[in-house]
Amino acid sequence: MSLINENFLKLSDNYLFAEIARRVSEYKLSKPESKLVRLGIGDVTRALPQVCVEAMHKAVDEMGDAASFRGYGPEQGYDFLRKAIIANDFAPRGVELDADEVFISDGAKSDCGNIGDILSPYCRVAVTDPVYPVYIDSNMMSGRELVLLRADEKAAFTPALPETRPDVIYLCYPNNPTGIALNRDQLKLWVDYARENGSIIIFDAAYEAFIQEDGIPHSIYEIAGAKEVAIEIRSFSKTAGFTGVRAGCTIVPKAIRLRSDDGRTISLNALWNRRQCTKFNGTSYISQRAAEAIYSPEGKSQTKAIIAYYMRNASLMRERLQKLGLQVYGGVNAPYLWVKCPASMGSWEFFDLLLNRLEIVTTPGAGFGSAGEGFIRITAFGNYEDCVEAMDRLSDYLK
Amino acid sequence: MSLINENFLKLSDNYLFAEIARRVSEYKLSKPESKLVRLGIGDVTRALPQVCVEAMHKAVDEMGDAASFRGYGPEQGYDFLRKAIIANDFAPRGVELDADEVFISDGAKSDCGNIGDILSPYCRVAVTDPVYPVYIDSNMMSGRELVLLRADEKAAFTPALPETRPDVIYLCYPNNPTGIALNRDQLKLWVDYARENGSIIIFDAAYEAFIQEDGIPHSIYEIAGAKEVAIEIRSFSKTAGFTGVRAGCTIVPKAIRLRSDDGRTISLNALWNRRQCTKFNGTSYISQRAAEAIYSPEGKSQTKAIIAYYMRNASLMRERLQKLGLQVYGGVNAPYLWVKCPASMGSWEFFDLLLNRLEIVTTPGAGFGSAGEGFIRITAFGNYEDCVEAMDRLSDYLK
């Protein structure tokens, strides 16, 4: 018997962003003077909000003085942050949560990957296609059976309810990569389905702060009954530029009660708490103070300004791409534009054309699953000037 | 079929430190004016080294300016830190490592828990008794078979080589909880055993910075051949007071090559890299800059002073406890004292006596496994004055 987790051997070798990096660096080697505009990876470019900078300076000073030094914090996160999250992100939307239903993480990706620890390896897991690859890879590592829910252009990027019941359903709205958001009725369909079928939903709300339109739920718990079936994973990465600071949170409501094989009623909240107490030692105190600062009045206005900056990029690019006759989705309630490749080009073909002719880096849709073929993803996280420059190059080329 | 990971239901309900906290708060309720001296949980009390404070202020300012802002870092950690670790912790001990064998973590506990992701759930895992509970609980969560290696007083707290071959062996030296360190020959026995038997060693070196004596390896890689069989988990938590800052590292040498079921040769380094890229998004940039600062000349002298402070506590308590006729182990190369309960008392009995009569909080040895019965663990991480106070109370009581 082998000592390794053999499931790893079934993972595809090529990680999407590694392949993009390879092609980009190959191009740069051939043209060292090139001025690439990077609209590929979903990383932010604006500075941290000043309230966060100030809060971190203060926290650092506390740590430098034995009288105010903080060692191990609670594995679940500090109450000051858990309560700020509830008071600002949930209570105003009519969602009541207890502090012990909120778990502070070192970022959404960790919890997206680790949440499977508390679920059976025999669960059948449904994910959309196209999809954020972490849902697929982390479940393959545990040997779980995957079901793809097609969310292509014909389906308006909104998957139909599954024909055979999955145990676990990953939903990400506003969606990465398509930028599509679900309205209340669309999201209610999934909550009702999970309730009727005894499925669990893992709801990735990493982009909720980018929602601009009314009627789009920011949290799945805005839908009645969701607390009994849904875990929600949230992030400060895109909301406030925390990609390098590392903080997020995961909501595991105590109302999720599952049946064990011997007929007991088990709380998923208790299992996740046990998982975190055993395999995690809390998020940096300094990062938690930075996250708390987002919820101050200044913090709210500063993060709002950053989001407005990115969404101006999104609008600009959306408008200009449409003027060029391209079919564009997303970019209204999400920082991602999902652009149909012209002239029936394939994803990688259009990606290569944009890279080699126009020196614009994007993400080929096929990298997010076969239903992403024929599309590219453009992110709005760049500098405004770079977005304008990219659109100018494209206009010149296509005219 | 249940949706949950049923292995969680086999975990013991009572987490040691939760039970201690319960008894302490019960006592405080009954005697609100009590002046407890806490020598229980292994958390540090000194302030962060000033070099770390300065490095973090600088990093925070970088994050507050778009020109120097850093978003997602490498999942494996920044090269500046990986290289500093190699140059300072390994190269001077004759251990050569490549930067891509060093993975920066958000702390040793995360990696101790997560390392199992790359190993087969069918591995037989050996841990010592007494033991740091995370090794047991994290493996039970994956359903692995556990073998206990008795490391009690009769065995000089050093387990004998196992009679039946385990696939994976957890070793922690200097040891938590017993404070025992292994010399070169003792550690070589294990490396040789693993090499001869095709086992993997997971070596927890969280307390290496406390080693005072010559001839005690700080890294398992000081033993010839260890790179082919051992993963080493390291921490800045105790070395430099990072319990609230969250940074550590894990070494997965590329020389560890295992056979897959279909006969391929698999690199554990590649599997761990894939695991981290999928389920982790890197350690806070600010924490990584703080860790880097430890290796500057000022950083070295400041951390040395902090360690000397704690080790003075350890010596003081060791001496005074011995003068009182108590049998004491550890405290020479480790911040932990492993104290035999007097008069054949049980662990919890002595714990309760110290709490209720002397208002001293310790950790009952039985909480670390049945072979810890009859001992308590005392940590040297408190204030010097508190350590003196605790010893005075004990002297008054026992005289």
Side-chain angles (χ1 to χ4, degrees):
Chain A
M1 186 210 76
S2 136
L3 268 60
I4 60 165
N5 177 350
E6 293 268 331
N7 294 312
F8 273 70
L9 307 182
K10 298 171 199 148
L11 295 168
S12 82
D13 257 356
N14 269 340
Y15 189 64
L16 171 62
F17 293 105
E19 174 61 19
I20 293 172
R22 196 190 62 75
R23 294 195 190 201
V24 169
S25 84
E26 197 173 87
Y27 179 77
K28 283 200 81 173
L29 273 178
S30 73
K31 285 222 177 162
E33 77 291 355
S34 63
K35 282 195 180 145
L36 288 175
V37 175
R38 293 172 186 274
L39 306 173
I41 293 182
D43 198 359
V44 296
T45 54
R46 299 287 86 201
L48 273 194
Q50 279 306 308
V51 284
C52 299
V53 170
E54 287 155 24
M56 288 201 284
H57 278 310
K58 198 173 152 223
V60 167
D61 282 334
E62 280 180 62
M63 299 295 265
D65 179 347
S68 51
F69 175 80
R70 304 232 192 180
Y72 289 124
E75 285 94 345
Q76 305 84 355
Y78 280 102
D79 262 359
F80 63 74
L81 180 53
R82 302 168 99 183
K83 285 180 177 164
I85 290 168
I86 294 172
N88 292 280
D89 284 341
F90 292 99
R93 304 187 194 286
V95 178
E96 281 176 36
L97 289 174
D98 292 337
D100 60 0
E101 296 176 300
V102 179
F103 295 83
I104 308 303
S105 70
D106 70 323
K109 192 177 167 195
S110 299
D111 281 8
C112 269
N114 293 332
I115 195 77
D117 279 10
I118 61 172
L119 299 171
S120 165
Y122 304 107
C123 280
R124 189 192 297 118
V125 173
V127 300
T128 63
D129 179 7
V131 71
Y132 176 49
V134 167
Y135 311 150
I136 292 194
D137 288 356
S138 62
N139 279 293
M140 283 186 70
M141 286 175 181
S142 296
R144 294 199 183 89
E145 184 191 339
L146 284 158
V147 185
L148 298 181
L149 306 173
R150 209 161 168 84
D152 56 10
E153 192 178 20
K154 213 159 55 181
F157 306 105
T158 312
L161 293 172
E163 280 165 33
T164 49
R165 170 191 164 278
D167 297 304
V168 180
I169 303 162
Y170 283 75
L171 296 176
C172 172
Y173 293 102
N175 188 256
N176 174 18
T178 66
I180 294 297
L182 295 191
N183 65 30
R184 200 169 296 273
D185 289 342
Q186 288 172 311
L187 192 53
K188 186 175 181 301
L189 274 182
W190 287 96
V191 171
D192 290 347
Y193 177 88
R195 288 167 62 84
E196 282 156 24
N197 290 277
S199 305
I200 293 294
I201 294 172
I202 297 174
F203 189 74
D204 184 344
Y207 300 97
E208 63 80 25
F210 293 85
I211 294 172
Q212 310 289 308
E213 294 181 321
D214 292 336
I216 309 287
H218 287 243
S219 162
I220 196 166
Y221 305 121
E222 294 179 50
I223 309 298
K227 269 203 218 170
E228 291 159 37
V229 293
I231 290 169
E232 184 165 297
I233 295 175
R234 298 172 78 96
S235 170
F236 298 114
S237 285
K238 313 300 163 79
T239 310
F242 273 40
T243 50
V245 173
R246 314 306 312 140
C249 75
T250 294
I251 315 297
V252 188
K254 286 179 277 190
I256 311 181
R257 315 281 291 175
L258 296 175
R259 189 72 61 177
S260 68
D261 282 339
D262 63 2
R264 280 185 281 167
T265 302
I266 306 294
S267 153
L268 266 197
N269 177 281
L271 295 195
W272 183 246
N273 187 55
R274 192 65 151 92
R275 192 270 168 211
Q276 291 298 83
C277 287
T278 302
K279 297 195 185 187
F280 186 57
N281 231 336
T283 300
S284 157
Y285 171 65
I286 297 150
S287 302
Q288 291 191 61
R289 282 295 185 197
E292 181 195 27
I294 298 169
Y295 296 109
S296 65
E298 304 78 14
K300 284 180 191 176
S301 90
Q302 290 173 16
T303 49
K304 213 170 145 185
I306 293 174
I307 287 169
Y309 180 96
Y310 293 134
M311 290 312 286
R312 183 173 67 138
N313 291 347
S315 302
L316 164 95
M317 293 193 290
R318 191 177 150 89
E319 234 169 73
R320 293 204 46 188
L321 291 166
Q322 283 176 332
K323 263 192 200 153
L324 293 170
L326 291 168
Q327 183 71 47
V328 186
Y329 299 93
V332 176
N333 294 303
Y336 294 123
L337 278 73
W338 190 242
V339 184
K340 193 166 185 173
C341 305
S344 304
M345 262 189 266
S347 285
W348 280 106
E349 193 184 352
F350 192 39
F351 169 89
D352 282 335
L353 182 151
L354 291 172
L355 173 62
N356 297 318
R357 299 277 180 87
L358 307 182
E359 303 188 340
I360 301 170
V361 183
T362 60
T363 313
F368 297 100
S370 66
E373 181 53 274
F375 285 82
I376 56 160
R377 187 190 76 173
I378 291 181
T379 86
F381 289 125
N383 294 311
Y384 182 73
E385 295 70 25
D386 285 350
C387 295
V388 172
E389 170 70 22
M391 294 305 110
D392 287 349
R393 290 184 195 172
L394 203 58
S395 303
D396 285 349
Y397 180 77
L398 289 178
K399 84 181 169 196
Chain B
M1 186 209 77
S2 136
L3 267 61
I4 60 164
N5 178 349
E6 294 268 330
N7 294 313
F8 273 69
L9 307 183
K10 297 171 201 151
L11 296 168
S12 80
D13 257 355
N14 269 341
Y15 189 62
L16 171 62
F17 293 104
E19 175 60 20
I20 294 172
R22 195 190 63 74
R23 295 195 190 200
V24 170
S25 83
E26 199 173 85
Y27 179 77
K28 284 200 81 172
L29 272 177
S30 72
K31 285 221 177 163
E33 77 291 356
S34 63
K35 280 193 181 149
L36 289 174
V37 175
R38 294 174 187 274
L39 306 172
I41 293 183
D43 198 359
V44 296
T45 54
R46 299 287 86 200
L48 274 193
Q50 280 305 309
V51 284
C52 300
V53 170
E54 286 156 25
M56 287 201 284
H57 279 309
K58 199 173 150 222
V60 167
D61 282 334
E62 279 180 61
M63 299 295 264
D65 179 346
S68 51
F69 175 80
R70 304 235 193 177
Y72 289 124
E75 286 92 346
Q76 304 85 353
Y78 279 102
D79 262 357
F80 63 75
L81 180 54
R82 302 169 98 182
K83 286 178 177 165
I85 290 169
I86 294 171
N88 292 282
D89 285 340
F90 292 99
R93 304 188 195 286
V95 178
E96 280 177 35
L97 289 173
D98 292 337
D100 59 0
E101 295 176 301
V102 179
F103 295 84
I104 308 303
S105 70
D106 68 324
K109 192 177 168 196
S110 299
D111 280 9
C112 268
N114 294 332
I115 196 76
D117 280 11
I118 62 172
L119 300 172
S120 164
Y122 304 107
C123 280
R124 190 192 296 118
V125 173
V127 300
T128 63
D129 178 8
V131 70
Y132 175 49
V134 167
Y135 311 150
I136 293 196
D137 288 356
S138 61
N139 278 294
M140 284 187 70
M141 286 175 181
S142 297
R144 293 199 183 90
E145 185 190 339
L146 283 158
V147 185
L148 297 182
L149 306 174
R150 208 160 168 86
D152 56 11
E153 192 178 20
K154 212 159 54 182
F157 306 104
T158 312
L161 293 171
E163 280 165 34
T164 49
R165 169 192 165 276
D167 298 303
V168 180
I169 303 162
Y170 282 75
L171 296 176
C172 171
Y173 293 101
N175 189 255
N176 174 18
T178 66
I180 295 296
L182 294 192
N183 64 30
R184 201 169 296 272
D185 289 342
Q186 288 172 310
L187 192 53
K188 186 176 181 303
L189 274 183
W190 287 96
V191 171
D192 291 347
Y193 178 88
R195 288 166 63 84
E196 281 156 24
N197 290 276
S199 305
I200 292 294
I201 294 173
I202 296 174
F203 188 74
D204 184 345
Y207 300 97
E208 63 80 25
F210 294 86
I211 294 172
Q212 310 289 310
E213 294 181 321
D214 291 338
I216 310 287
H218 287 243
S219 163
I220 196 166
Y221 305 121
E222 293 179 50
I223 310 298
K227 269 202 215 168
E228 291 159 35
V229 292
I231 291 169
E232 183 166 296
I233 294 174
R234 298 173 79 96
S235 171
F236 299 113
S237 285
K238 311 301 162 77
T239 311
F242 273 40
T243 50
V245 173
R246 314 306 312 137
C249 74
T250 294
I251 315 297
V252 188
K254 286 179 279 190
I256 310 180
R257 316 281 292 175
L258 296 175
R259 188 73 58 179
S260 67
D261 282 338
D262 63 2
R264 282 184 279 167
T265 301
I266 306 293
S267 153
L268 265 198
N269 177 282
L271 295 196
W272 182 246
N273 187 53
R274 192 65 151 91
R275 193 270 169 210
Q276 291 298 82
C277 288
T278 302
K279 297 195 185 187
F280 186 57
N281 230 335
T283 299
S284 157
Y285 171 66
I286 297 151
S287 302
Q288 291 191 61
R289 282 294 185 197
E292 181 195 28
I294 298 170
Y295 296 108
S296 65
E298 303 79 11
K300 284 180 192 173
S301 91
Q302 289 174 17
T303 49
K304 213 171 145 185
I306 292 174
I307 286 167
Y309 180 95
Y310 294 134
M311 291 312 287
R312 182 171 67 136
N313 291 347
S315 304
L316 164 94
M317 294 193 290
R318 191 178 148 87
E319 235 168 76
R320 294 204 45 188
L321 291 166
Q322 283 175 334
K323 264 193 201 153
L324 292 170
L326 292 167
Q327 182 69 49
V328 185
Y329 299 94
V332 176
N333 294 303
Y336 295 123
L337 278 71
W338 189 242
V339 183
K340 193 166 185 174
C341 305
S344 303
M345 261 189 269
S347 286
W348 281 105
E349 195 185 349
F350 193 39
F351 169 88
D352 282 335
L353 183 151
L354 292 171
L355 174 62
N356 297 317
R357 298 275 181 90
L358 307 182
E359 304 190 338
I360 300 170
V361 183
T362 60
T363 312
F368 297 101
S370 65
E373 182 53 272
F375 286 82
I376 56 159
R377 189 191 73 175
I378 290 182
T379 87
F381 289 124
N383 293 311
Y384 180 74
E385 294 71 25
D386 284 350
C387 295
V388 172
E389 169 71 20
M391 294 305 110
D392 288 348
R393 290 185 194 172
L394 204 57
S395 305
D396 286 348
Y397 181 76
L398 288 179
K399 82 180 168 197

